[in-house]
Amino acid sequence: MKIGFIGVGKMASAIINGLNSTSHDIIISGSSLARSREIAEQLEVTAAASHQELIDQADLVILGIKPQMFDTVLADLAFHQPIMSMAAGMTLERLANLTSPELPLIRIMPNLNAQILKSTTAICTNENVSAQLLTTAKEITDSFGSTFEIAEKDFDTFTALAGSSPAYIALFIEALAKAGVKYGLPKAESLNIATQTVLATAETILTGTDSPHDLIDKVCSPGGTTIAGLLDLEKTGLTASVISSIDTTINKAKNL
Ligand SMILES: NC(=O)c1ccc[n+]([C@@H]2O[C@H](COP(=O)([O-])OP(=O)(O)OC[C@H]3O[C@@H](n4cnc5c(N)ncnc54)[C@H](OP(=O)(O)O)[C@@H]3O)[C@@H](O)[C@H]2O)c1
């Protein structure tokens, strides 16, 4: 299959790196011909002379532009093939209005972990997408991480839990590292300790049978240090604070 990318920034570049492990041909078109050539050379793919030339050749078009660019970029283009969009807040209905209601449309929500081919990606489609096309679309998203097929009504929640949360998790890691510095560890060492611990804890939950609660009970010995620290985290409102930040993220996504 020939896959065309219109707009190749951070996210589309990460996805293209994943697709290099598949047999699909990639063609790209960026903000200008000069940018397309520059990016194509970096990613070792083909540059199209224009968005329309790309559309004329591609079997599937992936839109890697920012949501606010959709109206202007799509206005003059005539699509004939399935389109995949990764834009935050861009519904399938809005995409159909900007392109054509007849086309198979796929909406995905990747996250920046696509850079290490470990994106947590949501996918949903309109009614024009066949089972075979959905399978191909999931092969594409699986090439840069794991795929969750969810209802479009849950996309804003997914965006908060997976799209934005790498920033929130990074903040938690940074806070742990700062605490280490407070007690005399060098920053780099403290950050490494915090990061390795977060990574291994996530792996334990993902691969083992313990729920987060089971794990908490195992680490907290009676009358010990961890239960004291854990209760302090709850006193200062970690759970409420996380949920409040997810509420804010979802509200923002709904009002984009
Ligand atoms: N970053 C994330 O974590 C993340 C997560 C989930 C979804 N997304 C979605 O992914 C999409 C891209 O985000 P990003 O973070 O990759 O942004 P980005 O790095 O800013 O990429 C956007 C790209 O669009 C290009 N562009 C601008 N105008 C264009 C035009 N007229 N025609 C073609 N290309 C044009 C820009 O080129 P120039 O650099 O030359 O201006 C840039 O390379 C967005 O819709 C975003 O909602 C991002």
Side-chain angles (χ1 to χ4, degrees):
M1 186 183 247
K2 191 172 235 184
I3 302 177
F5 283 80
I6 295 181
V8 190
K10 291 180 288 294
M11 189 51 74
S13 300
I15 292 175
I16 290 172
N17 280 330
L19 284 171
N20 281 340
S21 66
T22 69
S23 57
H24 299 301
D25 286 337
I26 312 285
I27 182 166
I28 62 147
S29 186
S31 56
S32 66
L33 185 52
R35 281 287 285 149
S36 299
R37 288 191 175 134
E38 188 185 314
I39 297 164
E41 197 175 302
Q42 278 165 15
L43 298 176
E44 297 179 358
V45 296
T46 309
S50 66
H51 294 347
Q52 194 58 56
E53 187 194 273
L54 176 142
I55 290 169
D56 293 343
Q57 293 182 23
D59 302 305
L60 167 75
V61 174
I62 301 184
L63 300 172
I65 49 176
K66 293 275 192 189
Q68 56 271 29
M69 297 296 300
F70 271 59
D71 288 21
T72 34
V73 173
L74 300 188
D76 304 326
L77 300 174
F79 293 89
H80 61 87
Q81 64 280 81
I83 302 172
M84 181 184 274
S85 160
M86 64 186 82
M90 178 62 56
T91 62
L92 290 168
E93 188 184 4
R94 219 176 131 215
L95 188 58
N97 289 337
L98 290 170
T99 56
S100 155
E102 312 298 322
L103 290 174
L105 301 176
I106 301 155
R107 180 176 176 191
I108 65 167
M109 176 47 60
N111 69 16
L112 212 58
N113 292 330
Q115 285 175 345
I116 57 161
L117 309 185
K118 289 196 174 170
S119 171
T120 318
T121 306
I123 191 167
C124 70
T125 69
N126 72 357
E127 63 284 357
N128 302 329
V129 171
S130 65
Q132 195 188 348
L133 178 58
L134 177 60
T135 303
T136 305
K138 283 191 196 159
E139 274 166 23
I140 292 171
T141 50
D142 283 344
S143 75
F144 55 89
S146 53
T147 308
F148 294 78
E149 194 179 343
I150 63 170
E152 188 171 29
K153 71 174 178 52
D154 296 324
F155 254 60
D156 290 337
T157 307
F158 188 94
T159 304
L161 286 187
S164 305
S165 72
Y168 312 153
I169 295 162
L171 184 68
F172 178 73
I173 292 173
E174 174 68 12
L176 274 182
K178 280 203 178 91
V181 174
K182 180 179 177 190
Y183 287 96
L185 285 176
K187 178 69 186 287
E189 194 177 13
S190 189
L191 189 59
N192 197 8
I193 294 167
T195 310
Q196 296 285 1
T197 308
V198 169
L199 186 67
T201 306
E203 212 172 311
T204 302
I205 292 169
L206 205 59
T207 58
T209 52
D210 284 347
S211 70
H213 260 293
D214 296 333
L215 200 65
I216 289 168
D217 286 345
K218 279 185 182 168
V219 187
C220 290
S221 44
T225 51
T226 309
I227 187 70
L230 190 91
L231 291 177
D232 191 68
L233 264 182
E234 288 302 9
K235 192 172 73 193
T236 51
L238 182 77
T239 303
S241 161
V242 169
I243 293 174
S244 167
S245 118
I246 297 295
D247 290 345
T248 305
T249 314
I250 292 172
N251 283 335
K252 180 76 184 173
K254 287 196 189 308
N255 292 305
L256 270 184

